[in-house]
Amino acid sequence: MQHVRRSIVMLLVAVALSAAAVMGYGTTLLNRNFMVEASLQAGSALRLAVAALDGHLNRYEPLPALIADHDDIRELVARPDDPGLRSAANLYLKAINTLLHSSDIYVIDMTGETIAASNFDGPASFVGQNFSYRPYFQEAAEGRQSRFYALGTTSAKRGYYFSAPVRIGLQTRGVIVFKVDVDMIETTWRGSEYKIFVSDPEGIIFMSGSPEWLYKSLLPLTPDRLARTTASRRYSDASLKQLSVRRNLEDGHELMNIISDPGHGSREYLVLSEYAKSADWTVNVLIDTASVRAQTRTTVVAIVLFLCLAGLVVAVLLQRKGRRDDQLRLEIERKAELERRVGERTADLARVNSQLRQTQADLIQAGKLAGLGQMSAALSHEFNQPLAAAKNYADSAALLIDRGRTADARDNLTRISNLIDRMASLSRHLRNFARKPNEKLRPVSLSDVIDDTLEIVAARLSTADAELLIDLGDPAPVVQAGSVRLQQVLVNIITNAADAVEGLSDRRIHLTARIKGSHAAIELRDHGPGVPPAIADRIFDPFFTTKGVGKGLGLGLSISYNIVKDFGGDLTVGNHAEGGAVFRIELAVADVFSEAAE
Ligand code: ADP
């Protein structure tokens, strides 16, 4: 956002500078352009005005000479005092004046006195008037055609005068003058957007679309100028005034500041003028520069506004783009941060994983070793009990032989032999611990199995000073099992019960068996502390034991559980309402026919 803000500031500075440039240089440039345009317009207006004036006046140019050639006129100047000729000339002049739409036509003798005129019968008749002071008379009297414009001294009307000598032979005997009205032309200049006027060589305005400017002088009314004007009486008795004018040049354009009404400030005009040699006057076209300046100002304001608007639009766009860029940048940063975190987590996970794998490997190694140790311990545990019993029998057999009780000794030896058989079967069974036993299930007499079991546990029961009370019901159940493995289960739970009651006051252990439908339930109840509910679920897990190191392996119940499951039965534990643990073995009752077949 920082760089965007900088760009926006730069943009605003650029807009301000451009605006200043437009207001400064642009104004000049635009002004010049508009001036040139205005000047071109004024130029064509000027050309039109000049052409109109020339066209209007040139039509009359040859007429005086033509009239001067007329017989009536020549006769009159030959005999100016002849009243008949005068009257004929008057009528003739009046007729052609009407015909030609001119202002006045009159004949002057060589003294300057008018001897005939088209307005002879009018109130301001020229007849008898002397115009010797007029340049048109003076020049025509000298034999030249002449032109002049002036305010009529008699008629008080402005006109353009054409004069020609009236010759008789080679001699000039009179002057004919043809006066044309200029008012008509002037009226076409009124109301135009330009101010058009005609000024004489002294700078005095002779014709103008603005009547208030008539007879005003653009140049100072110096005595010389006044003297020249008075001599020709061009402006008759009209009062001449000087216009307050200040001229200056701007880019080659002539500008005029005119104070027409004092107190109303000045107006500035662009001036174009053309001197017409034939008429000896200057046609001027003025155009008010206010509109030009206003046009410049409006355009400048429009451009500045446009610049500001464009600047604003660009600033808004820049800001938007900046915001978008920022969002994009933030998103990229967020993504990068996320990727970095994911990377970190992945690395952490990989590290933890490898640690875990290492730990697992260590644990597996330790577990293997422990398992091996526990297996060895279990084996010695399972074998030690029958070995201890065999030792007892062997020891007592020796004594019995010594005492000569051979029959008892033999009995002992048979027991020893049975114990060895059991151990062999146990070792087979231990082998089966790792793989599925292939010992087939068959009907097993519970009372036989218990007899065999008692031989193994008798020693342990007596060391614990426990009393085993057996009630197998009548008849004792025959169950579907494997005899050695069922015996192993019973040895385990009876030994556990002996452990539980050892050292307690009530050391009774109840072994009961009942048939319930297709099932037989064998229960072993002791009067020990019972199994706390917290560990009831776990006592069947391998290696779960609460007994001290070297005493329990935690394998007995786990092996027993698996054996009973193999029989298709169930081994569960509970606590008796009067205290002590109750282990319950449920087994299928064996088929009677298969028992009979055995
Ligand atoms: P071990 O006898 O080696 O501990 P077992 O699998 O035979 O292993 O027994 C597991 C645990 O179950 C014992 O440590 C003991 O806490 C509990 N247990 C088994 N029999 C009894 C019982 N009759 N009374 C109370 N607790 C028992």
Side-chain angles (χ1 to χ4, degrees), residues 4-24:
V4 173
R5 233 171 259 145
R6 206 167 41 239
S7 333
I8 289 175
V9 168
M10 271 160 65
L11 179 81
L12 291 180
V13 168
V15 167
L17 284 178
S18 322
V22 167
M23 282 160 81

PDB file of all heavy atoms in Angstrom, residues 4-24:
ATOM      1  N   VAL A   4       1.681   2.366  -3.431  1.00  0.00           N
ATOM      2  CA  VAL A   4       0.468   2.873  -4.097  1.00  0.00           C
ATOM      3  C   VAL A   4       0.199   4.282  -3.622  1.00  0.00           C
ATOM      4  O   VAL A   4      -0.078   5.176  -4.425  1.00  0.00           O
ATOM      5  CB  VAL A   4      -0.738   1.962  -3.771  1.00  0.00           C
ATOM      6  CG1 VAL A   4      -2.008   2.581  -4.302  1.00  0.00           C
ATOM      7  CG2 VAL A   4      -0.537   0.603  -4.373  1.00  0.00           C
ATOM      8  N   ARG A   5       0.357   4.503  -2.310  1.00  0.00           N
ATOM      9  CA  ARG A   5       0.115   5.831  -1.762  1.00  0.00           C
ATOM     10  C   ARG A   5       1.084   6.822  -2.409  1.00  0.00           C
ATOM     11  O   ARG A   5       0.717   7.913  -2.796  1.00  0.00           O
ATOM     12  CB  ARG A   5       0.265   5.801  -0.249  1.00  0.00           C
ATOM     13  CG  ARG A   5      -0.971   6.370   0.429  1.00  0.00           C
ATOM     14  CD  ARG A   5      -0.937   6.155   1.899  1.00  0.00           C
ATOM     15  NE  ARG A   5      -1.772   5.052   2.278  1.00  0.00           N
ATOM     16  CZ  ARG A   5      -1.500   4.224   3.244  1.00  0.00           C
ATOM     17  NH1 ARG A   5      -0.376   4.355   3.922  1.00  0.00           N
ATOM     18  NH2 ARG A   5      -2.305   3.253   3.552  1.00  0.00           N
ATOM     19  N   ARG A   6       2.315   6.356  -2.579  1.00  0.00           N
ATOM     20  CA  ARG A   6       3.326   7.226  -3.190  1.00  0.00           C
ATOM     21  C   ARG A   6       2.923   7.553  -4.625  1.00  0.00           C
ATOM     22  O   ARG A   6       2.978   8.695  -5.049  1.00  0.00           O
ATOM     23  CB  ARG A   6       4.689   6.535  -3.137  1.00  0.00           C
ATOM     24  CG  ARG A   6       5.805   7.550  -3.135  1.00  0.00           C
ATOM     25  CD  ARG A   6       7.170   6.994  -2.783  1.00  0.00           C
ATOM     26  NE  ARG A   6       7.450   5.733  -3.369  1.00  0.00           N
ATOM     27  CZ  ARG A   6       7.733   4.637  -2.683  1.00  0.00           C
ATOM     28  NH1 ARG A   6       7.773   4.685  -1.387  1.00  0.00           N
ATOM     29  NH2 ARG A   6       7.984   3.494  -3.293  1.00  0.00           N
ATOM     30  N   SER A   7       2.451   6.498  -5.360  1.00  0.00           N
ATOM     31  CA  SER A   7       2.057   6.730  -6.751  1.00  0.00           C
ATOM     32  C   SER A   7       0.901   7.708  -6.813  1.00  0.00           C
ATOM     33  O   SER A   7       0.862   8.565  -7.687  1.00  0.00           O
ATOM     34  CB  SER A   7       1.629   5.446  -7.446  1.00  0.00           C
ATOM     35  OG  SER A   7       2.233   4.345  -6.905  1.00  0.00           O
ATOM     36  N   ILE A   8      -0.032   7.569  -5.851  1.00  0.00           N
ATOM     37  CA  ILE A   8      -1.202   8.460  -5.867  1.00  0.00           C
ATOM     38  C   ILE A   8      -0.764   9.890  -5.611  1.00  0.00           C
ATOM     39  O   ILE A   8      -1.175  10.810  -6.316  1.00  0.00           O
ATOM     40  CB  ILE A   8      -2.253   7.989  -4.835  1.00  0.00           C
ATOM     41  CG1 ILE A   8      -2.890   6.698  -5.337  1.00  0.00           C
ATOM     42  CG2 ILE A   8      -3.329   9.048  -4.634  1.00  0.00           C
ATOM     43  CD1 ILE A   8      -3.846   6.069  -4.371  1.00  0.00           C
ATOM     44  N   VAL A   9       0.138  10.067  -4.651  1.00  0.00           N
ATOM     45  CA  VAL A   9       0.639  11.419  -4.360  1.00  0.00           C
ATOM     46  C   VAL A   9       1.318  11.969  -5.602  1.00  0.00           C
ATOM     47  O   VAL A   9       1.088  13.111  -6.018  1.00  0.00           O
ATOM     48  CB  VAL A   9       1.603  11.387  -3.156  1.00  0.00           C
ATOM     49  CG1 VAL A   9       2.337  12.711  -3.037  1.00  0.00           C
ATOM     50  CG2 VAL A   9       0.830  11.118  -1.879  1.00  0.00           C
ATOM     51  N   MET A  10       2.137  11.114  -6.253  1.00  0.00           N
ATOM     52  CA  MET A  10       2.838  11.555  -7.461  1.00  0.00           C
ATOM     53  C   MET A  10       1.839  11.937  -8.543  1.00  0.00           C
ATOM     54  O   MET A  10       2.009  12.928  -9.241  1.00  0.00           O
ATOM     55  CB  MET A  10       3.790  10.462  -7.944  1.00  0.00           C
ATOM     56  CG  MET A  10       5.166  10.584  -7.297  1.00  0.00           C
ATOM     57  SD  MET A  10       6.078   9.058  -7.383  1.00  0.00           S
ATOM     58  CE  MET A  10       6.292   8.915  -9.129  1.00  0.00           C
ATOM     59  N   LEU A  11       0.792  11.111  -8.644  1.00  0.00           N
ATOM     60  CA  LEU A  11      -0.244  11.362  -9.649  1.00  0.00           C
ATOM     61  C   LEU A  11      -0.917  12.699  -9.384  1.00  0.00           C
ATOM     62  O   LEU A  11      -1.092  13.511 -10.293  1.00  0.00           O
ATOM     63  CB  LEU A  11      -1.280  10.242  -9.578  1.00  0.00           C
ATOM     64  CG  LEU A  11      -2.428  10.390 -10.563  1.00  0.00           C
ATOM     65  CD1 LEU A  11      -1.995   9.900 -11.926  1.00  0.00           C
ATOM     66  CD2 LEU A  11      -3.640   9.626 -10.094  1.00  0.00           C
ATOM     67  N   LEU A  12      -1.244  12.940  -8.098  1.00  0.00           N
ATOM     68  CA  LEU A  12      -1.917  14.189  -7.750  1.00  0.00           C
ATOM     69  C   LEU A  12      -1.013  15.377  -8.055  1.00  0.00           C
ATOM     70  O   LEU A  12      -1.463  16.394  -8.575  1.00  0.00           O
ATOM     71  CB  LEU A  12      -2.338  14.175  -6.278  1.00  0.00           C
ATOM     72  CG  LEU A  12      -3.465  13.177  -5.975  1.00  0.00           C
ATOM     73  CD1 LEU A  12      -3.836  13.209  -4.506  1.00  0.00           C
ATOM     74  CD2 LEU A  12      -4.688  13.474  -6.817  1.00  0.00           C
ATOM     75  N   VAL A  13       0.281  15.213  -7.743  1.00  0.00           N
ATOM     76  CA  VAL A  13       1.236  16.286  -8.043  1.00  0.00           C
ATOM     77  C   VAL A  13       1.256  16.511  -9.551  1.00  0.00           C
ATOM     78  O   VAL A  13       1.207  17.655 -10.031  1.00  0.00           O
ATOM     79  CB  VAL A  13       2.637  15.911  -7.510  1.00  0.00           C
ATOM     80  CG1 VAL A  13       3.670  16.874  -8.061  1.00  0.00           C
ATOM     81  CG2 VAL A  13       2.642  15.949  -5.995  1.00  0.00           C
ATOM     82  N   ALA A  14       1.265  15.394 -10.317  1.00  0.00           N
ATOM     83  CA  ALA A  14       1.292  15.498 -11.784  1.00  0.00           C
ATOM     84  C   ALA A  14       0.039  16.216 -12.274  1.00  0.00           C
ATOM     85  O   ALA A  14       0.121  17.090 -13.139  1.00  0.00           O
ATOM     86  CB  ALA A  14       1.380  14.108 -12.404  1.00  0.00           C
ATOM     87  N   VAL A  15      -1.121  15.849 -11.681  1.00  0.00           N
ATOM     88  CA  VAL A  15      -2.380  16.491 -12.084  1.00  0.00           C
ATOM     89  C   VAL A  15      -2.316  17.980 -11.771  1.00  0.00           C
ATOM     90  O   VAL A  15      -2.666  18.818 -12.609  1.00  0.00           O
ATOM     91  CB  VAL A  15      -3.586  15.831 -11.361  1.00  0.00           C
ATOM     92  CG1 VAL A  15      -4.830  16.682 -11.517  1.00  0.00           C
ATOM     93  CG2 VAL A  15      -3.831  14.451 -11.923  1.00  0.00           C
ATOM     94  N   ALA A  16      -1.819  18.304 -10.557  1.00  0.00           N
ATOM     95  CA  ALA A  16      -1.729  19.717 -10.157  1.00  0.00           C
ATOM     96  C   ALA A  16      -0.811  20.468 -11.115  1.00  0.00           C
ATOM     97  O   ALA A  16      -1.134  21.570 -11.571  1.00  0.00           O
ATOM     98  CB  ALA A  16      -1.215  19.813  -8.726  1.00  0.00           C
ATOM     99  N   LEU A  17       0.350  19.839 -11.437  1.00  0.00           N
ATOM    100  CA  LEU A  17       1.301  20.492 -12.348  1.00  0.00           C
ATOM    101  C   LEU A  17       0.665  20.685 -13.723  1.00  0.00           C
ATOM    102  O   LEU A  17       0.781  21.752 -14.325  1.00  0.00           O
ATOM    103  CB  LEU A  17       2.568  19.656 -12.467  1.00  0.00           C
ATOM    104  CG  LEU A  17       3.518  19.743 -11.261  1.00  0.00           C
ATOM    105  CD1 LEU A  17       4.713  18.834 -11.461  1.00  0.00           C
ATOM    106  CD2 LEU A  17       3.979  21.181 -11.055  1.00  0.00           C
ATOM    107  N   SER A  18      -0.037  19.605 -14.215  1.00  0.00           N
ATOM    108  CA  SER A  18      -0.672  19.707 -15.534  1.00  0.00           C
ATOM    109  C   SER A  18      -1.712  20.812 -15.504  1.00  0.00           C
ATOM    110  O   SER A  18      -1.819  21.590 -16.447  1.00  0.00           O
ATOM    111  CB  SER A  18      -1.345  18.407 -15.926  1.00  0.00           C
ATOM    112  OG  SER A  18      -0.602  17.329 -15.519  1.00  0.00           O
ATOM    113  N   ALA A  19      -2.491  20.838 -14.396  1.00  0.00           N
ATOM    114  CA  ALA A  19      -3.523  21.863 -14.281  1.00  0.00           C
ATOM    115  C   ALA A  19      -2.891  23.251 -14.331  1.00  0.00           C
ATOM    116  O   ALA A  19      -3.357  24.137 -15.060  1.00  0.00           O
ATOM    117  CB  ALA A  19      -4.298  21.683 -12.989  1.00  0.00           C
ATOM    118  N   ALA A  20      -1.774  23.401 -13.588  1.00  0.00           N
ATOM    119  CA  ALA A  20      -1.083  24.699 -13.577  1.00  0.00           C
ATOM    120  C   ALA A  20      -0.582  25.019 -14.981  1.00  0.00           C
ATOM    121  O   ALA A  20      -0.702  26.151 -15.461  1.00  0.00           O
ATOM    122  CB  ALA A  20       0.065  24.660 -12.588  1.00  0.00           C
ATOM    123  N   ALA A  21      -0.028  23.972 -15.647  1.00  0.00           N
ATOM    124  CA  ALA A  21       0.512  24.180 -16.992  1.00  0.00           C
ATOM    125  C   ALA A  21      -0.604  24.588 -17.943  1.00  0.00           C
ATOM    126  O   ALA A  21      -0.453  25.514 -18.740  1.00  0.00           O
ATOM    127  CB  ALA A  21       1.186  22.906 -17.490  1.00  0.00           C
ATOM    128  N   VAL A  22      -1.759  23.882 -17.809  1.00  0.00           N
ATOM    129  CA  VAL A  22      -2.892  24.217 -18.681  1.00  0.00           C
ATOM    130  C   VAL A  22      -3.344  25.643 -18.409  1.00  0.00           C
ATOM    131  O   VAL A  22      -3.592  26.418 -19.322  1.00  0.00           O
ATOM    132  CB  VAL A  22      -4.069  23.235 -18.443  1.00  0.00           C
ATOM    133  CG1 VAL A  22      -5.337  23.748 -19.087  1.00  0.00           C
ATOM    134  CG2 VAL A  22      -3.724  21.880 -19.005  1.00  0.00           C
ATOM    135  N   MET A  23      -3.384  25.976 -17.090  1.00  0.00           N
ATOM    136  CA  MET A  23      -3.850  27.315 -16.733  1.00  0.00           C
ATOM    137  C   MET A  23      -2.876  28.386 -17.209  1.00  0.00           C
ATOM    138  O   MET A  23      -3.276  29.488 -17.543  1.00  0.00           O
ATOM    139  CB  MET A  23      -4.091  27.406 -15.236  1.00  0.00           C
ATOM    140  CG  MET A  23      -5.401  26.753 -14.858  1.00  0.00           C
ATOM    141  SD  MET A  23      -5.494  26.311 -13.149  1.00  0.00           S
ATOM    142  CE  MET A  23      -5.913  27.852 -12.443  1.00  0.00           C
ATOM    143  N   GLY A  24      -1.598  28.052 -17.227  1.00  0.00           N
ATOM    144  CA  GLY A  24      -0.612  29.037 -17.661  1.00  0.00           C
ATOM    145  C   GLY A  24      -0.408  28.992 -19.153  1.00  0.00           C
ATOM    146  O   GLY A  24      -1.032  29.735 -19.921  1.00  0.00           O
TER     147      GLY A  24
END
